[in-house]
Amino acid sequence: MLMARPTLAWACCLLTLASVAWAQPAPRLSGLVRDATGSALPGVTVTVAGTALAAPRTVVTDERGRYEVDTLPTGRYSITAALRGFEPWSTEIDVGAGAATLDIVLALTSFSERVTVTATKTGAADVQSTPVAITVLPARTLEQLEVERVEGLAGFVPTVTVSQSPVGTPLVTIRGIGSNSSVAGADPSSTIHIDGVYLARPPMACMDLLDVERVEVLRGPQGTLYGRNSVGGTINIVTRQPTNTLETQVRLTAGSDD
């Protein structure tokens, strides 16, 4: 019995230390992601990378713009945040014992480059001085916004919506004016042109925006420039002119199961 007392005391001490260690929270990083106006941004991809991690860890903000990365080893980390339509954001932070908080503010992508459009009655003109309701998306902007087809314009061009007909044909509507006919010979009220050439049938809009210089979207009647049936407006796809430089562009999509 005399030898059992120290052993029992030692066991109690180990249990106490284990309880204290268990009670201490594991290091974690959390915060909010907002835009410049203070509104929460859901769907933002937040990536945490550092030498203390075997591989970078990625989380996505919830509907309230919150993110949380649990069980981070103590160390210094590089934090990046990305969302389509916003400028990439990055910083570095030290994470010690306990919890660390890092709030993020993302800025909208700036389209500061000078763009010349051809969708005017007088020929080529600077888009900033063109007195018509027009939205121009250069090739660089299309890549940043990941707009790969005509359907992708609906999320970034005002008053433009694209629906699917029963046969899978995209139906373009501009300012609420379009056509709900899925017949192959239908004549839509909001038109699509490539380099000024009218695409006369709705299925011809099912194309990838490859080797494109810019996309011009004119809102409102455009009969003077693009014919009597451009009542709602028109989308003019301007292709990139050939050069003497050898260039290659590849678009790769990969996945598994679903």
Side-chain angles (χ1 to χ4, degrees), residues 82-170:
L83 180 63
R84 191 169 63 175
F86 290 83
E87 294 285 353
W89 183 94
S90 63
T91 190
E92 292 187 353
I93 186 174
D94 292 318
V95 177
T101 302
L102 177 64
D103 292 337
I104 299 172
V105 177
L106 297 183
L108 286 170
T109 302
S110 58
F111 307 130
S112 58
E113 57 184 304
R114 187 180 183 89
V115 179
T116 300
V117 297
T118 56
T120 63
K121 300 177 183 179
T122 57
D126 181 15
V127 67
Q128 300 297 334
S129 59
T130 303
V132 294
I134 181 172
T135 298
V136 181
L137 300 178
R140 175 175 172 270
T141 302
L142 294 173
E143 293 176 0
Q144 290 178 337
L145 299 179
E146 299 180 5
V147 175
E148 300 177 353
R149 308 184 71 179
V150 172
E151 295 93 316
L153 299 174
F156 304 100
V157 180
T159 71
V160 174
T161 59
V162 180
S163 58
Q164 292 290 338
S165 69
V167 296
T169 302

Side-chain angles (χ1 to χ4, degrees), residues 146 148 208 210 248-256:
E146 299 180 5
E148 300 177 353
D208 288 340
L210 295 174
T248 301
Q249 186 177 16
V250 178
R251 180 179 296 162
L252 176 64
T253 303
S256 62

